[in-house]
Amino acid sequence: MNNSDTWKVLLVDDNPDNLGVLKDTLTPAGYDLFFASSGEKAIEIALQTQPDLILLDVIMPKPDGYETCKILKANEKTKDIPVIFITAKKDTEDIIQGFAVGGVDYVPKPFFEDEVCAR
């Protein structure tokens, strides 16, 4: 966690509606939220803000969430930031791939707000 009392969370999804739901879910908890609608923007924001957690969609235009996670984990500045995938991809092989590229957890869509906050 960062030095302040507020956790910084980067939300990454190419669907603005999904970002809105995540924002509505996490804002009451007092998190300092950052938003990205692409993997490229997520990497840029992560390097600048050093979030405490990244909630990352998998299904996005290039780079997809898996590739974005690989890039983040390969960078010395972002390698230790936990990544939780939030995605509609629910097959076992998709979940395994998420862990293989460095994700720490996997939340299927549609998600339950309480579950996202708990994780």
Side-chain angles (χ1 to χ4, degrees), residues 27-90:
T27 296
Y31 297 114
D32 190 6
L33 302 178
F34 299 86
F35 303 92
S37 59
S38 70
E40 286 179 358
K41 191 68 175 172
I43 294 163
E44 178 184 320
I45 292 170
L47 287 167
Q48 291 172 357
T49 65
Q50 293 294 295
D52 298 294
L53 175 67
I54 299 172
L55 299 179
L56 179 60
D57 185 27
V58 172
I59 305 171
M60 296 187 298
K62 299 254 184 230
D64 68 8
Y66 297 136
E67 186 62 28
T68 299
C69 188
K70 281 191 218 176
I71 293 166
L72 290 165
K73 295 302 176 181
N75 188 306
E76 192 63 32
K77 292 182 179 180
T78 55
K79 70 178 185 172
D80 294 325
I81 301 170
V83 174
I84 297 177
F85 288 105
I86 298 185
T87 183
K89 296 182 78 113
K90 299 175 186 175

Tab-separated table of all heavy atoms in Angstrom, residues 27-90:
chain	number	residue	atom	x	y	z
A	27	THR	N	-16.164	3.780	-5.247
A	27	THR	CA	-16.100	5.149	-4.721
A	27	THR	C	-16.527	5.241	-3.255
A	27	THR	O	-15.838	5.888	-2.455
A	27	THR	CB	-16.924	6.108	-5.603
A	27	THR	OG1	-16.322	6.150	-6.906
A	27	THR	CG2	-16.957	7.508	-5.024
A	28	PRO	N	-17.625	4.594	-2.847
A	28	PRO	CA	-18.022	4.701	-1.436
A	28	PRO	C	-16.974	4.167	-0.455
A	28	PRO	O	-16.946	4.568	0.701
A	28	PRO	CB	-19.307	3.876	-1.352
A	28	PRO	CG	-19.840	3.847	-2.747
A	28	PRO	CD	-18.623	3.858	-3.636
A	29	ALA	N	-16.100	3.282	-0.924
A	29	ALA	CA	-15.065	2.727	-0.056
A	29	ALA	C	-13.904	3.692	0.143
A	29	ALA	O	-13.017	3.445	0.951
A	29	ALA	CB	-14.566	1.403	-0.626
A	30	GLY	N	-13.904	4.796	-0.608
A	30	GLY	CA	-12.892	5.825	-0.417
A	30	GLY	C	-11.592	5.615	-1.174
A	30	GLY	O	-10.590	6.255	-0.878
A	31	TYR	N	-11.587	4.725	-2.161
A	31	TYR	CA	-10.379	4.504	-2.951
A	31	TYR	C	-10.103	5.703	-3.853
A	31	TYR	O	-11.023	6.394	-4.288
A	31	TYR	CB	-10.514	3.253	-3.825
A	31	TYR	CG	-10.682	1.984	-3.042
A	31	TYR	CD1	-11.870	1.266	-3.097
A	31	TYR	CD2	-9.655	1.491	-2.247
A	31	TYR	CE1	-12.032	0.090	-2.384
A	31	TYR	CE2	-9.811	0.317	-1.526
A	31	TYR	CZ	-11.000	-0.372	-1.597
A	31	TYR	OH	-11.153	-1.527	-0.891
A	32	ASP	N	-8.839	5.928	-4.152
A	32	ASP	CA	-8.417	6.928	-5.118
A	32	ASP	C	-8.393	6.213	-6.468
A	32	ASP	O	-7.521	5.374	-6.709
A	32	ASP	CB	-7.037	7.459	-4.736
A	32	ASP	CG	-6.621	8.677	-5.533
A	32	ASP	OD1	-7.438	9.210	-6.310
A	32	ASP	OD2	-5.458	9.097	-5.369
A	33	LEU	N	-9.358	6.497	-7.331
A	33	LEU	CA	-9.556	5.732	-8.564
A	33	LEU	C	-8.930	6.404	-9.776
A	33	LEU	O	-8.996	7.622	-9.934
A	33	LEU	CB	-11.052	5.522	-8.814
A	33	LEU	CG	-11.826	4.806	-7.703
A	33	LEU	CD1	-13.298	4.716	-8.069
A	33	LEU	CD2	-11.249	3.423	-7.431
A	34	PHE	N	-8.351	5.577	-10.636
A	34	PHE	CA	-7.810	6.005	-11.921
A	34	PHE	C	-8.450	5.113	-12.979
A	34	PHE	O	-8.764	3.954	-12.711
A	34	PHE	CB	-6.286	5.844	-11.947
A	34	PHE	CG	-5.596	6.673	-10.911
A	34	PHE	CD1	-5.425	6.189	-9.624
A	34	PHE	CD2	-5.139	7.943	-11.203
A	34	PHE	CE1	-4.803	6.947	-8.643
A	34	PHE	CE2	-4.518	8.712	-10.238
A	34	PHE	CZ	-4.347	8.220	-8.954
A	35	PHE	N	-8.619	5.642	-14.187
A	35	PHE	CA	-9.350	4.930	-15.225
A	35	PHE	C	-8.554	4.868	-16.519
A	35	PHE	O	-7.911	5.852	-16.904
A	35	PHE	CB	-10.689	5.631	-15.512
A	35	PHE	CG	-11.548	5.770	-14.290
A	35	PHE	CD1	-11.482	6.915	-13.505
A	35	PHE	CD2	-12.407	4.759	-13.909
A	35	PHE	CE1	-12.253	7.044	-12.362
A	35	PHE	CE2	-13.186	4.877	-12.774
A	35	PHE	CZ	-13.111	6.021	-12.002
A	36	ALA	N	-8.634	3.716	-17.191
A	36	ALA	CA	-8.022	3.544	-18.501
A	36	ALA	C	-8.961	2.711	-19.358
A	36	ALA	O	-9.564	1.756	-18.877
A	36	ALA	CB	-6.674	2.863	-18.388
A	37	SER	N	-9.065	3.082	-20.631
A	37	SER	CA	-9.945	2.350	-21.546
A	37	SER	C	-9.159	1.477	-22.520
A	37	SER	O	-9.732	0.917	-23.448
A	37	SER	CB	-10.838	3.325	-22.310
A	37	SER	OG	-10.042	4.242	-23.033
A	38	SER	N	-7.851	1.351	-22.298
A	38	SER	CA	-7.029	0.490	-23.149
A	38	SER	C	-5.824	0.011	-22.351
A	38	SER	O	-5.447	0.608	-21.336
A	38	SER	CB	-6.537	1.258	-24.381
A	38	SER	OG	-5.573	2.235	-24.009
A	39	GLY	N	-5.214	-1.054	-22.840
A	39	GLY	CA	-4.013	-1.559	-22.203
A	39	GLY	C	-2.874	-0.558	-22.252
A	39	GLY	O	-2.144	-0.385	-21.282
A	40	GLU	N	-2.731	0.115	-23.393
A	40	GLU	CA	-1.663	1.105	-23.531
A	40	GLU	C	-1.815	2.218	-22.497
A	40	GLU	O	-0.854	2.621	-21.843
A	40	GLU	CB	-1.663	1.702	-24.943
A	40	GLU	CG	-1.141	0.770	-25.993
A	40	GLU	CD	-1.165	1.384	-27.385
A	40	GLU	OE1	-1.630	2.523	-27.545
A	40	GLU	OE2	-0.710	0.698	-28.314
A	41	LYS	N	-3.022	2.721	-22.351
A	41	LYS	CA	-3.276	3.791	-21.378
A	41	LYS	C	-3.079	3.275	-19.954
A	41	LYS	O	-2.554	4.002	-19.094
A	41	LYS	CB	-4.696	4.343	-21.573
A	41	LYS	CG	-4.963	5.605	-20.820
A	41	LYS	CD	-4.160	6.756	-21.390
A	41	LYS	CE	-4.518	8.058	-20.707
A	41	LYS	NZ	-3.631	9.150	-21.094
A	42	ALA	N	-3.457	2.044	-19.696
A	42	ALA	CA	-3.284	1.453	-18.371
A	42	ALA	C	-1.804	1.406	-17.985
A	42	ALA	O	-1.438	1.740	-16.852
A	42	ALA	CB	-3.881	0.055	-18.332
A	43	ILE	N	-0.964	1.009	-18.918
A	43	ILE	CA	0.477	0.937	-18.655
A	43	ILE	C	1.012	2.336	-18.359
A	43	ILE	O	1.759	2.539	-17.395
A	43	ILE	CB	1.205	0.286	-19.846
A	43	ILE	CG1	0.776	-1.182	-19.967
A	43	ILE	CG2	2.716	0.428	-19.709
A	43	ILE	CD1	1.077	-1.818	-21.305
A	44	GLU	N	0.601	3.306	-19.158
A	44	GLU	CA	1.028	4.694	-18.960
A	44	GLU	C	0.615	5.211	-17.575
A	44	GLU	O	1.426	5.771	-16.834
A	44	GLU	CB	0.406	5.567	-20.067
A	44	GLU	CG	0.717	7.033	-19.972
A	44	GLU	CD	-0.030	7.813	-21.050
A	44	GLU	OE1	-0.134	7.336	-22.199
A	44	GLU	OE2	-0.527	8.905	-20.724
A	45	ILE	N	-0.640	4.989	-17.205
A	45	ILE	CA	-1.150	5.462	-15.914
A	45	ILE	C	-0.477	4.718	-14.757
A	45	ILE	O	-0.129	5.324	-13.741
A	45	ILE	CB	-2.686	5.334	-15.854
A	45	ILE	CG1	-3.329	6.316	-16.830
A	45	ILE	CG2	-3.203	5.575	-14.439
A	45	ILE	CD1	-4.821	6.119	-17.022
A	46	ALA	N	-0.273	3.422	-14.913
A	46	ALA	CA	0.377	2.641	-13.852
A	46	ALA	C	1.791	3.147	-13.593
A	46	ALA	O	2.224	3.255	-12.438
A	46	ALA	CB	0.389	1.158	-14.220
A	47	LEU	N	2.514	3.466	-14.649
A	47	LEU	CA	3.868	3.995	-14.488
A	47	LEU	C	3.857	5.349	-13.782
A	47	LEU	O	4.723	5.633	-12.962
A	47	LEU	CB	4.560	4.105	-15.849
A	47	LEU	CG	4.997	2.772	-16.461
A	47	LEU	CD1	5.379	2.955	-17.927
A	47	LEU	CD2	6.156	2.169	-15.670
A	48	GLN	N	2.861	6.177	-14.082
A	48	GLN	CA	2.780	7.518	-13.501
A	48	GLN	C	2.295	7.506	-12.057
A	48	GLN	O	2.803	8.241	-11.228
A	48	GLN	CB	1.841	8.404	-14.322
A	48	GLN	CG	2.358	8.775	-15.682
A	48	GLN	CD	1.299	9.498	-16.509
A	48	GLN	OE1	0.162	9.681	-16.088
A	48	GLN	NE2	1.684	9.913	-17.704
A	49	THR	N	1.285	6.685	-11.762
A	49	THR	CA	0.605	6.780	-10.463
A	49	THR	C	1.010	5.705	-9.459
A	49	THR	O	0.724	5.857	-8.277
A	49	THR	CB	-0.923	6.700	-10.646
A	49	THR	OG1	-1.277	5.415	-11.157
A	49	THR	CG2	-1.424	7.800	-11.572
A	50	GLN	N	1.618	4.613	-9.937
A	50	GLN	CA	1.988	3.504	-9.066
A	50	GLN	C	0.801	3.068	-8.183
A	50	GLN	O	0.852	3.181	-6.958
A	50	GLN	CB	3.188	3.882	-8.202
A	50	GLN	CG	4.470	4.079	-8.984
A	50	GLN	CD	4.964	2.775	-9.607
A	50	GLN	OE1	5.315	1.849	-8.906
A	50	GLN	NE2	4.964	2.706	-10.920
A	51	PRO	N	-0.283	2.578	-8.818
A	51	PRO	CA	-1.455	2.173	-8.019
A	51	PRO	C	-1.134	0.982	-7.112
A	51	PRO	O	-0.167	0.249	-7.337
A	51	PRO	CB	-2.484	1.792	-9.085
A	51	PRO	CG	-1.676	1.402	-10.273
A	51	PRO	CD	-0.454	2.277	-10.233
A	52	ASP	N	-1.958	0.824	-6.094
A	52	ASP	CA	-1.813	-0.298	-5.171
A	52	ASP	C	-2.455	-1.567	-5.728
A	52	ASP	O	-2.146	-2.665	-5.272
A	52	ASP	CB	-2.472	0.045	-3.827
A	52	ASP	CG	-1.803	1.245	-3.187
A	52	ASP	OD1	-0.624	1.133	-2.822
A	52	ASP	OD2	-2.455	2.299	-3.072
A	53	LEU	N	-3.367	-1.399	-6.698
A	53	LEU	CA	-4.098	-2.516	-7.278
A	53	LEU	C	-4.577	-2.123	-8.665
A	53	LEU	O	-4.930	-0.963	-8.900
A	53	LEU	CB	-5.312	-2.859	-6.399
A	53	LEU	CG	-6.269	-3.932	-6.898
A	53	LEU	CD1	-5.597	-5.299	-6.917
A	53	LEU	CD2	-7.529	-3.969	-6.036
A	54	ILE	N	-4.601	-3.105	-9.565
A	54	ILE	CA	-5.152	-2.898	-10.908
A	54	ILE	C	-6.265	-3.914	-11.124
A	54	ILE	O	-6.055	-5.118	-10.952
A	54	ILE	CB	-4.078	-3.049	-12.001
A	54	ILE	CG1	-2.961	-2.005	-11.798
A	54	ILE	CG2	-4.703	-2.934	-13.395
A	54	ILE	CD1	-1.762	-2.198	-12.709
A	55	LEU	N	-7.452	-3.420	-11.471
A	55	LEU	CA	-8.571	-4.278	-11.894
A	55	LEU	C	-8.602	-4.205	-13.413
A	55	LEU	O	-8.840	-3.138	-13.984
A	55	LEU	CB	-9.880	-3.797	-11.290
A	55	LEU	CG	-9.953	-3.792	-9.764
A	55	LEU	CD1	-11.312	-3.269	-9.301
A	55	LEU	CD2	-9.709	-5.177	-9.200
A	56	LEU	N	-8.362	-5.325	-14.076
A	56	LEU	CA	-8.068	-5.336	-15.502
A	56	LEU	C	-8.990	-6.269	-16.270
A	56	LEU	O	-9.069	-7.467	-15.970
A	56	LEU	CB	-6.602	-5.777	-15.680
A	56	LEU	CG	-6.026	-5.907	-17.071
A	56	LEU	CD1	-6.072	-4.588	-17.825
A	56	LEU	CD2	-4.590	-6.422	-16.978
A	57	ASP	N	-9.661	-5.716	-17.267
A	57	ASP	CA	-10.472	-6.519	-18.182
A	57	ASP	C	-9.536	-7.287	-19.104
A	57	ASP	O	-8.430	-6.841	-19.401
A	57	ASP	CB	-11.396	-5.602	-18.986
A	57	ASP	CG	-12.358	-6.368	-19.878
A	57	ASP	OD1	-12.693	-7.522	-19.560
A	57	ASP	OD2	-12.795	-5.792	-20.890
A	58	VAL	N	-9.969	-8.434	-19.579
A	58	VAL	CA	-9.167	-9.226	-20.509
A	58	VAL	C	-9.505	-8.874	-21.947
A	58	VAL	O	-8.619	-8.663	-22.777
A	58	VAL	CB	-9.374	-10.740	-20.278
A	58	VAL	CG1	-8.704	-11.554	-21.378
A	58	VAL	CG2	-8.830	-11.146	-18.917
A	59	ILE	N	-10.794	-8.789	-22.267
A	59	ILE	CA	-11.227	-8.622	-23.656
A	59	ILE	C	-11.202	-7.143	-24.017
A	59	ILE	O	-12.129	-6.389	-23.725
A	59	ILE	CB	-12.633	-9.218	-23.866
A	59	ILE	CG1	-12.658	-10.681	-23.433
A	59	ILE	CG2	-13.055	-9.074	-25.331
A	59	ILE	CD1	-14.044	-11.286	-23.396
A	60	MET	N	-10.082	-6.739	-24.640
A	60	MET	CA	-9.896	-5.362	-25.105
A	60	MET	C	-9.117	-5.413	-26.409
A	60	MET	O	-8.452	-6.404	-26.691
A	60	MET	CB	-9.089	-4.542	-24.077
A	60	MET	CG	-9.751	-4.364	-22.742
A	60	MET	SD	-8.820	-3.223	-21.678
A	60	MET	CE	-7.266	-4.076	-21.485
A	61	PRO	N	-9.176	-4.322	-27.182
A	61	PRO	CA	-8.314	-4.270	-28.370
A	61	PRO	C	-6.849	-4.376	-27.956
A	61	PRO	O	-6.508	-4.164	-26.795
A	61	PRO	CB	-8.604	-2.888	-28.970
A	61	PRO	CG	-9.883	-2.447	-28.366
A	61	PRO	CD	-10.003	-3.137	-27.043
A	62	LYS	N	-6.004	-4.682	-28.879
A	62	LYS	CA	-4.580	-4.887	-28.610
A	62	LYS	C	-3.983	-3.718	-27.840
A	62	LYS	O	-4.251	-2.580	-28.195
A	62	LYS	CB	-3.815	-5.075	-29.914
A	62	LYS	CG	-4.275	-6.282	-30.684
A	62	LYS	CD	-3.270	-7.376	-30.592
A	62	LYS	CE	-3.706	-8.528	-31.460
A	62	LYS	NZ	-3.713	-9.790	-30.879
A	63	PRO	N	-3.201	-3.935	-26.812
A	63	PRO	CA	-2.992	-5.231	-26.200
A	63	PRO	C	-4.180	-5.619	-25.325
A	63	PRO	O	-4.777	-4.767	-24.665
A	63	PRO	CB	-1.741	-5.017	-25.341
A	63	PRO	CG	-1.776	-3.580	-24.960
A	63	PRO	CD	-2.436	-2.886	-26.126
A	64	ASP	N	-4.516	-6.905	-25.332
A	64	ASP	CA	-5.608	-7.366	-24.468
A	64	ASP	C	-5.122	-7.369	-23.022
A	64	ASP	O	-3.977	-7.002	-22.718
A	64	ASP	CB	-6.131	-8.727	-24.917
A	64	ASP	CG	-5.151	-9.869	-24.710
A	64	ASP	OD1	-4.087	-9.677	-24.082
A	64	ASP	OD2	-5.447	-10.983	-25.173
A	65	GLY	N	-5.982	-7.765	-22.104
A	65	GLY	CA	-5.627	-7.731	-20.695
A	65	GLY	C	-4.469	-8.638	-20.340
A	65	GLY	O	-3.634	-8.288	-19.502
A	66	TYR	N	-4.402	-9.818	-20.957
A	66	TYR	CA	-3.292	-10.724	-20.670
A	66	TYR	C	-1.962	-10.095	-21.066
A	66	TYR	O	-0.997	-10.119	-20.310
A	66	TYR	CB	-3.456	-12.061	-21.400
A	66	TYR	CG	-4.662	-12.868	-20.992
A	66	TYR	CD1	-5.458	-13.480	-21.948
A	66	TYR	CD2	-4.997	-13.059	-19.647
A	66	TYR	CE1	-6.548	-14.253	-21.592
A	66	TYR	CE2	-6.095	-13.818	-19.279
A	66	TYR	CZ	-6.867	-14.420	-20.263
A	66	TYR	OH	-7.952	-15.178	-19.909
A	67	GLU	N	-1.918	-9.543	-22.262
A	67	GLU	CA	-0.683	-8.917	-22.751
A	67	GLU	C	-0.336	-7.689	-21.911
A	67	GLU	O	0.830	-7.447	-21.590
A	67	GLU	CB	-0.816	-8.542	-24.238
A	67	GLU	CG	0.461	-8.012	-24.847
A	67	GLU	CD	1.618	-9.024	-24.843
A	67	GLU	OE1	1.376	-10.241	-24.868
A	67	GLU	OE2	2.777	-8.560	-24.814
A	68	THR	N	-1.353	-6.916	-21.541
A	68	THR	CA	-1.125	-5.756	-20.682
A	68	THR	C	-0.494	-6.184	-19.360
A	68	THR	O	0.467	-5.568	-18.885
A	68	THR	CB	-2.454	-5.004	-20.428
A	68	THR	OG1	-2.975	-4.556	-21.686
A	68	THR	CG2	-2.254	-3.819	-19.504
A	69	CYS	N	-1.007	-7.240	-18.781
A	69	CYS	CA	-0.471	-7.751	-17.520
A	69	CYS	C	0.981	-8.197	-17.698
A	69	CYS	O	1.837	-7.907	-16.855
A	69	CYS	CB	-1.337	-8.891	-16.998
A	69	CYS	SG	-0.884	-9.447	-15.330
A	70	LYS	N	1.274	-8.903	-18.795
A	70	LYS	CA	2.647	-9.338	-19.061
A	70	LYS	C	3.596	-8.148	-19.119
A	70	LYS	O	4.694	-8.191	-18.560
A	70	LYS	CB	2.721	-10.090	-20.398
A	70	LYS	CG	2.253	-11.498	-20.362
A	70	LYS	CD	2.644	-12.151	-21.680
A	70	LYS	CE	1.580	-13.081	-22.159
A	70	LYS	NZ	1.867	-13.661	-23.463
A	71	ILE	N	3.162	-7.081	-19.803
A	71	ILE	CA	3.994	-5.874	-19.928
A	71	ILE	C	4.212	-5.236	-18.564
A	71	ILE	O	5.331	-4.839	-18.219
A	71	ILE	CB	3.358	-4.879	-20.926
A	71	ILE	CG1	3.383	-5.470	-22.345
A	71	ILE	CG2	4.063	-3.529	-20.875
A	71	ILE	CD1	2.506	-4.740	-23.345
A	72	LEU	N	3.156	-5.150	-17.767
A	72	LEU	CA	3.273	-4.571	-16.422
A	72	LEU	C	4.220	-5.399	-15.556
A	72	LEU	O	5.037	-4.846	-14.813
A	72	LEU	CB	1.894	-4.480	-15.759
A	72	LEU	CG	0.943	-3.441	-16.341
A	72	LEU	CD1	-0.478	-3.689	-15.852
A	72	LEU	CD2	1.403	-2.028	-15.976
A	73	LYS	N	4.121	-6.709	-15.637
A	73	LYS	CA	4.947	-7.585	-14.803
A	73	LYS	C	6.403	-7.603	-15.265
A	73	LYS	O	7.295	-7.922	-14.478
A	73	LYS	CB	4.377	-9.015	-14.780
A	73	LYS	CG	3.016	-9.104	-14.107
A	73	LYS	CD	3.082	-8.594	-12.681
A	73	LYS	CE	1.739	-8.584	-12.003
A	73	LYS	NZ	1.808	-8.065	-10.634
A	74	ALA	N	6.664	-7.251	-16.506
A	74	ALA	CA	8.030	-7.218	-17.031
A	74	ALA	C	8.747	-5.905	-16.698
A	74	ALA	O	9.964	-5.808	-16.868
A	74	ALA	CB	8.015	-7.426	-18.546
A	75	ASN	N	8.010	-4.917	-16.222
A	75	ASN	CA	8.591	-3.608	-15.922
A	75	ASN	C	8.933	-3.522	-14.436
A	75	ASN	O	8.094	-3.804	-13.576
A	75	ASN	CB	7.606	-2.501	-16.309
A	75	ASN	CG	8.213	-1.127	-16.213
A	75	ASN	OD1	8.757	-0.732	-15.189
A	75	ASN	ND2	8.126	-0.377	-17.305
A	76	GLU	N	10.143	-3.130	-14.128
A	76	GLU	CA	10.614	-3.035	-12.740
A	76	GLU	C	9.713	-2.126	-11.892
A	76	GLU	O	9.487	-2.392	-10.719
A	76	GLU	CB	12.061	-2.516	-12.723
A	76	GLU	CG	12.743	-2.645	-11.390
A	76	GLU	CD	12.920	-4.086	-10.914
A	76	GLU	OE1	13.100	-5.001	-11.754
A	76	GLU	OE2	12.872	-4.297	-9.700
A	77	LYS	N	9.168	-1.076	-12.494
A	77	LYS	CA	8.355	-0.101	-11.747
A	77	LYS	C	6.945	-0.605	-11.441
A	77	LYS	O	6.303	-0.102	-10.526
A	77	LYS	CB	8.267	1.211	-12.521
A	77	LYS	CG	9.572	1.951	-12.610
A	77	LYS	CD	9.392	3.265	-13.342
A	77	LYS	CE	10.696	4.023	-13.408
A	77	LYS	NZ	10.560	5.292	-14.104
A	78	THR	N	6.457	-1.557	-12.209
A	78	THR	CA	5.065	-1.996	-12.042
A	78	THR	C	4.934	-3.488	-11.730
A	78	THR	O	3.816	-3.976	-11.532
A	78	THR	CB	4.242	-1.674	-13.309
A	78	THR	OG1	4.876	-2.261	-14.458
A	78	THR	CG2	4.108	-0.175	-13.519
A	79	LYS	N	6.019	-4.203	-11.658
A	79	LYS	CA	5.966	-5.669	-11.530
A	79	LYS	C	5.302	-6.152	-10.241
A	79	LYS	O	4.743	-7.239	-10.209
A	79	LYS	CB	7.357	-6.273	-11.660
A	79	LYS	CG	8.272	-5.979	-10.495
A	79	LYS	CD	9.608	-6.654	-10.660
A	79	LYS	CE	10.438	-6.431	-9.390
A	79	LYS	NZ	11.645	-7.189	-9.408
A	80	ASP	N	5.357	-5.354	-9.181
A	80	ASP	CA	4.806	-5.801	-7.897
A	80	ASP	C	3.371	-5.345	-7.646
A	80	ASP	O	2.812	-5.644	-6.592
A	80	ASP	CB	5.703	-5.322	-6.753
A	80	ASP	CG	7.079	-5.981	-6.792
A	80	ASP	OD1	7.151	-7.167	-7.185
A	80	ASP	OD2	8.066	-5.321	-6.456
A	81	ILE	N	2.779	-4.633	-8.595
A	81	ILE	CA	1.395	-4.180	-8.433
A	81	ILE	C	0.466	-5.376	-8.678
A	81	ILE	O	0.508	-5.993	-9.744
A	81	ILE	CB	1.042	-3.041	-9.412
A	81	ILE	CG1	1.969	-1.844	-9.191
A	81	ILE	CG2	-0.425	-2.635	-9.255
A	81	ILE	CD1	1.857	-0.763	-10.280
A	82	PRO	N	-0.377	-5.731	-7.700
A	82	PRO	CA	-1.297	-6.853	-7.913
A	82	PRO	C	-2.322	-6.535	-9.004
A	82	PRO	O	-2.836	-5.414	-9.080
A	82	PRO	CB	-1.999	-7.019	-6.565
A	82	PRO	CG	-1.308	-6.130	-5.603
A	82	PRO	CD	-0.499	-5.150	-6.372
A	83	VAL	N	-2.596	-7.527	-9.832
A	83	VAL	CA	-3.579	-7.403	-10.914
A	83	VAL	C	-4.683	-8.422	-10.664
A	83	VAL	O	-4.418	-9.618	-10.512
A	83	VAL	CB	-2.933	-7.650	-12.291
A	83	VAL	CG1	-4.001	-7.673	-13.389
A	83	VAL	CG2	-1.866	-6.608	-12.583
A	84	ILE	N	-5.917	-7.933	-10.624
A	84	ILE	CA	-7.093	-8.801	-10.567
A	84	ILE	C	-7.821	-8.659	-11.895
A	84	ILE	O	-8.191	-7.550	-12.289
A	84	ILE	CB	-8.036	-8.420	-9.403
A	84	ILE	CG1	-7.342	-8.616	-8.059
A	84	ILE	CG2	-9.322	-9.252	-9.474
A	84	ILE	CD1	-8.176	-8.188	-6.856
A	85	PHE	N	-7.996	-9.770	-12.578
A	85	PHE	CA	-8.738	-9.748	-13.833
A	85	PHE	C	-10.233	-9.743	-13.541
A	85	PHE	O	-10.708	-10.489	-12.685
A	85	PHE	CB	-8.392	-10.967	-14.696
A	85	PHE	CG	-7.020	-10.905	-15.293
A	85	PHE	CD1	-5.989	-11.678	-14.784
A	85	PHE	CD2	-6.747	-10.065	-16.354
A	85	PHE	CE1	-4.710	-11.621	-15.326
A	85	PHE	CE2	-5.478	-9.993	-16.911
A	85	PHE	CZ	-4.459	-10.780	-16.389
A	86	ILE	N	-10.964	-8.886	-14.243
A	86	ILE	CA	-12.430	-8.879	-14.199
A	86	ILE	C	-12.882	-9.031	-15.647
A	86	ILE	O	-12.678	-8.130	-16.459
A	86	ILE	CB	-12.979	-7.577	-13.583
A	86	ILE	CG1	-12.515	-7.429	-12.144
A	86	ILE	CG2	-14.505	-7.557	-13.672
A	86	ILE	CD1	-13.087	-6.242	-11.403
A	87	THR	N	-13.476	-10.178	-15.958
A	87	THR	CA	-13.744	-10.466	-17.363
A	87	THR	C	-14.893	-11.444	-17.556
A	87	THR	O	-15.250	-12.184	-16.634
A	87	THR	CB	-12.469	-11.032	-18.028
A	87	THR	OG1	-12.717	-11.250	-19.414
A	87	THR	CG2	-12.034	-12.323	-17.379
A	88	ALA	N	-15.431	-11.446	-18.755
A	88	ALA	CA	-16.489	-12.379	-19.124
A	88	ALA	C	-15.913	-13.746	-19.515
A	88	ALA	O	-16.651	-14.710	-19.645
A	88	ALA	CB	-17.304	-11.812	-20.285
A	89	LYS	N	-14.595	-13.824	-19.689
A	89	LYS	CA	-13.959	-15.108	-20.033
A	89	LYS	C	-13.921	-15.970	-18.784
A	89	LYS	O	-13.233	-15.653	-17.831
A	89	LYS	CB	-12.551	-14.867	-20.583
A	89	LYS	CG	-12.566	-14.084	-21.897
A	89	LYS	CD	-11.186	-13.890	-22.446
A	89	LYS	CE	-10.714	-15.111	-23.094
A	89	LYS	NZ	-10.484	-15.216	-24.468
A	90	LYS	N	-14.681	-17.080	-18.806
A	90	LYS	CA	-14.859	-17.891	-17.599
A	90	LYS	C	-14.335	-19.314	-17.719
A	90	LYS	O	-14.414	-20.079	-16.768
A	90	LYS	CB	-16.348	-17.948	-17.243
A	90	LYS	CG	-16.952	-16.610	-16.958
A	90	LYS	CD	-18.439	-16.710	-16.727
A	90	LYS	CE	-19.044	-15.328	-16.598
A	90	LYS	NZ	-20.471	-15.334	-16.495
